[in-house]
Amino acid sequence: MSVTMLKRIALVAMVINYVGAFIPGTPVWFQWIGRLSAPLFFYAMAWSMDRTRDRKRYLMGLYLCSVLMALANLGLSFAASKLGFSTVVTNNMFATLFAGAFFIWVLEYGREYPKKRLKLWLIYGGWQVVFALAWAALYELVEVPYELLNLLSAVCGSAFICEGAFFYVLMGVLFYYTKEDRKRLTIWYVVLWLVFFVNAAFGVWGKLFMLIGSDVLVVFMEIISGLVLWGASYRPMFDLMHMLYSDFQWMMIGALPLLLLCNGERGRGRKYFYYVIYPGVVYFFWFLGVVVLG
């Protein structure tokens, strides 16, 4: 299976997901199918970072798309609030793809120039942590609007404050370094999947942070990790209803067979098609579900 075919499958899963997310009355299993989409797109990104002839141009394309979509989200959210709609647009997987691709670039640059590696990692890591803390303070203490902070996150290339948060970014990096070794790919993908599954089934991470006694810390960890932590201490372990209807990111395990079938070949397809179709799908189904049918 080529990378292009993998993208097509991811596109179908993405459309089904947004139908489930935005159209009232849609069965929840639409969003279960949607859990396949992100891993497939991140796997395609990993191959693109490996095969592109101009990484800087590829990174710039993802960055510009992420900022433009964040601007569009801000405008639509402002209009929605003025018109009295409660649901706003926050989706922006471009920002997460850029954060993952840029993280790969940082790691590869460090491998190419080992003398600069430590300094580069300290600058990158320090910036990410400081920005995440500043974002949390602006949101929790100053109460800056969420949509405006999302635009700031896209502009600053945050690897923590993006859709799916750091574990999605890490997934892209793991794909890049394991894509040509199916055994390693399987092992690391299952390890990452276990983080989501264990948290959904037992609320381990939420319970751990609640023991520290800081609600603010729980919220902060939820923001930067993308894990559902809030309230984890107050529900039963292995709550099947919670796993099926609330915290179902663990269903991404279904993407693994498709990842293993991909041969890394590019295949035929228009290069910029997915840059246009993704925001088009998001905004179309948001408008249909919230404005027309809501």
Side-chain angles (χ1 to χ4, degrees):
M1 182 192 301
S2 68
V3 174
T4 299
M5 181 57 69
L6 201 70
K7 286 182 179 180
R8 290 171 181 168
I9 296 172
L11 176 61
V12 173
M14 179 188 74
V15 170
I16 294 172
N17 177 68
Y18 286 123
V19 171
F22 291 128
I23 304 302
T26 306
V28 70
W29 57 264
F30 274 50
Q31 294 183 69
W32 297 348
I33 295 174
R35 298 314 95 188
L36 306 181
S37 180
L40 300 184
F41 276 126
F42 275 96
Y43 192 67
M45 178 274 288
W47 278 107
S48 295
M49 279 294 289
D50 184 63
R51 300 291 173 84
T52 184
R53 289 174 290 183
D54 190 340
R55 282 188 178 179
K56 290 183 179 180
R57 184 178 179 182
Y58 179 70
L59 285 168
M60 184 57 67
L62 287 175
Y63 178 74
L64 289 175
C65 286
S66 73
V67 173
L68 288 173
M69 192 162 184
L71 278 169
N73 287 352
L74 180 62
L76 284 174
S77 298
F78 177 78
S81 64
K82 289 294 183 180
L83 295 172
F85 296 112
S86 59
T87 303
V88 297
V89 187
T90 59
N91 307 87
N92 189 354
M93 194 55 73
F94 283 132
T96 318
L97 286 167
F98 169 76
F102 188 74
F103 194 5
I104 292 169
W105 180 85
V106 169
L107 295 173
E108 288 296 288
Y109 189 88
R111 291 178 64 182
E112 187 176 354
Y113 301 99
K115 291 183 179 180
K116 300 179 181 180
R117 181 185 305 164
L118 181 59
K119 181 179 179 181
L120 179 65
W121 288 0
L122 287 174
I123 293 174
Y124 175 78
W127 166 248
Q128 293 295 342
V129 171
V130 168
F131 179 81
L133 290 171
W135 192 100
L138 289 171
Y139 182 68
E140 291 290 327
L141 303 178
V142 186
E143 297 185 354
V144 175
Y146 185 79
E147 297 79 16
L148 183 60
L149 288 175
N150 276 352
L151 172 60
L152 183 62
S153 301
V155 170
C156 295
S158 176
F160 290 125
I161 315 299
C162 54
E163 188 174 355
F166 183 68
F167 279 113
Y168 270 37
V169 174
L170 181 61
M171 180 165 57
V173 176
L174 292 176
F175 284 157
Y176 181 82
Y177 289 107
T178 63
K179 62 186 182 300
E180 298 183 73
D181 187 331
R182 285 181 171 82
K183 182 178 179 180
R184 290 177 62 212
L185 172 63
T186 301
I187 291 171
W188 283 110
Y189 190 71
V190 169
V191 168
L192 186 62
W193 165 76
L194 279 171
V195 173
F196 291 99
F197 179 78
V198 170
N199 191 66
F202 305 106
V204 170
W205 315 119
K207 288 179 171 61
L208 175 63
F209 287 110
M210 288 301 289
L211 288 175
I212 300 174
S214 172
D215 290 349
V216 174
L217 179 58
V218 175
V219 172
F220 177 70
M221 290 305 300
E222 187 172 28
I223 288 172
I224 69 172
S225 69
L227 297 173
V228 179
L229 303 177
W230 188 255
S233 295
Y234 306 110
R235 61 177 175 79
M237 289 188 178
F238 212 83
D239 185 341
L240 188 59
M241 297 300 290
H242 172 81
M243 294 178 66
L244 293 178
Y245 292 94
S246 179
D247 191 3
F248 43 76
Q249 183 55 43
W250 58 271
M251 293 184 184
M252 71 181 196
I253 193 63
L256 181 58
L258 297 171
L259 300 176
L260 297 176
L261 287 172
C262 184
N263 56 22
E265 297 298 323
R266 180 178 176 182
R268 296 182 180 181
R270 295 184 179 181
K271 186 176 181 181
Y272 298 105
F273 172 74
Y274 297 94
Y275 288 87
V276 177
I277 195 65
Y278 168 63
V281 167
V282 171
Y283 297 140
F284 173 77
F285 285 112
W286 174 83
F287 183 81
L288 180 63
V290 175
V291 179
V292 177
L293 301 175

